[in-house]
Each structure stands twice: as structure tokens, then as C-alpha cells.
Amino acid sequence: MSVISTAIERLPILRSRGIYFDEKMVGYHVLQTGPRKGERLDFMFTAAAQSETIPGFFGAGGGVIALDGEVKAEGLAAKSPMRGTIRMDPRAKVGVMTYDFDFTGDDGKPYHFHGFKNREGLVDTLYGKVLDFEGGLVSEGTTYFDYDELWKFVRSFKLV
């Protein structure tokens, strides 16, 4: 074994393909259609995210991170698996992170969440909307990083 390959074996970051973390976002959405239009309802999701590469995590050239988790959207989805992506762009002034994920509502219909996260002081704010698969606006709202989960979030980061 060469000196270089021995060094690579001893430095996990050089063998790693990507970075993993999980987070929890909590907030609300306001329904935009139907008989409950205008109603403000709880909206929450937990997500596990993993980049394919380490540079991809940092958004060099527009990094994309795979996203899997669960959505709890009062009045829409009591508990639904979700899958999508986070696009990282640390150079952006607005929309540093763009979230896109799909889930199924309690009505059995597919829905799509699209949102962008801005860093405002110490608060991560995610402005988002839920669309039906015809592109109709179902709800809009705001979620925030759940700081009660901060220690869990910090501890979740790993090289994979």
C-alpha cells in the first residue's frame, strides 16, 4: 500500500462522498382554496438530507441535496412521507436554499411543496407554497427551524 493510499484510508473526509444532516421545520400555512380558504393551519416537516459529494453540499456550482422525510400539514396531510431536493446556493441574496418535495395528501392526491429559505439573523425562515399537480395553489406559509431540535441537528451531521 502506498503512502498516499494509507493517508486516504486514515482521513475519513477524503474517502467520504457526501454530507448528511437532518432538520425539523415548524410553522403554519394558510389555505388558499376550498371551503376553509383563509384558515391558518399548522405545517411541519422533518427531513433527512444527504449530498452526493462534499462540494455539492456547499453549493459549488449549484449543489443539490437529496431530501427524505415526513410532512404533517393540518387539513392536508396528517402524516405523509415526502421526497425531494434542497438546492444550495451560498452566493444567492434570496433563496440561499430552495426546497422542492412531493407528498400525498389525506385525500390521496399528490402535492408539491416549493419554498426558499433565507437566513435572517439567527432565524432560518422558509417561505413556501403547496401546489396540486395541476399547478394550482393550495396553501402558502412560513416555517422556521425548530431551535428546540438544535442539539439533535448539530449532532446529525456526518460524512457519508
Side-chain angles (χ1 to χ4, degrees), residues 43-65:
F43 190 92
M44 183 268 291
F45 68 88
T46 55
Q50 182 174 322
S51 66
E52 289 187 24
T53 65
I54 292 171
F57 178 83
F58 296 103
V64 176
I65 300 171

Side-chain angles (χ1 to χ4, degrees), residues 43-153:
F43 190 92
M44 183 268 291
F45 68 88
T46 55
Q50 182 174 322
S51 66
E52 289 187 24
T53 65
I54 292 171
F57 178 83
F58 296 103
V64 176
I65 300 171
L67 190 66
D68 286 289
E70 183 177 271
V71 175
K72 292 181 182 178
E74 185 183 348
L76 187 59
K79 186 176 183 181
S80 176
M82 57 85 125
R83 174 166 276 163
T85 61
I86 302 173
R87 182 171 299 280
M88 306 279 280
D89 187 356
R91 299 163 298 174
K93 293 183 181 180
V94 174
V96 172
M97 299 168 83
T98 303
Y99 287 66
D100 282 287
F101 58 79
D102 299 328
F103 64 97
T104 302
D106 294 336
D107 57 7
K109 295 180 183 176
Y111 292 95
H112 179 77
F113 176 90
H114 174 77
F116 60 93
K117 185 184 274 189
N118 288 339
R119 187 169 281 290
E120 299 171 354
L122 295 177
V123 178
D124 279 345
T125 304
L126 178 63
Y127 302 99
K129 57 187 173 183
V130 174
L131 305 167
D132 61 27
F133 265 70
E134 287 78 44
L137 183 62
V138 176
S139 68
E140 289 184 286
T142 308
T143 56
Y144 306 92
F145 178 75
D146 185 349
Y147 281 95
D148 290 341
E149 300 276 320
L150 180 60
W151 185 241
K152 181 181 173 192
F153 170 71

Side-chain angles (χ1 to χ4, degrees), residues 13-68:
I13 194 163
L14 297 179
R15 290 180 306 173
S16 300
R17 290 196 42 184
I19 296 175
Y20 168 94
F21 71 92
D22 54 60
E23 71 176 335
K24 182 177 182 181
M25 299 291 291
V26 294
Y28 67 90
H29 265 224
V30 177
L31 294 176
Q32 300 297 310
T33 60
R36 297 172 69 186
K37 182 178 178 176
E39 199 170 329
R40 181 178 159 148
L41 302 171
D42 291 341
F43 190 92
M44 183 268 291
F45 68 88
T46 55
Q50 182 174 322
S51 66
E52 289 187 24
T53 65
I54 292 171
F57 178 83
F58 296 103
V64 176
I65 300 171
L67 190 66
D68 286 289

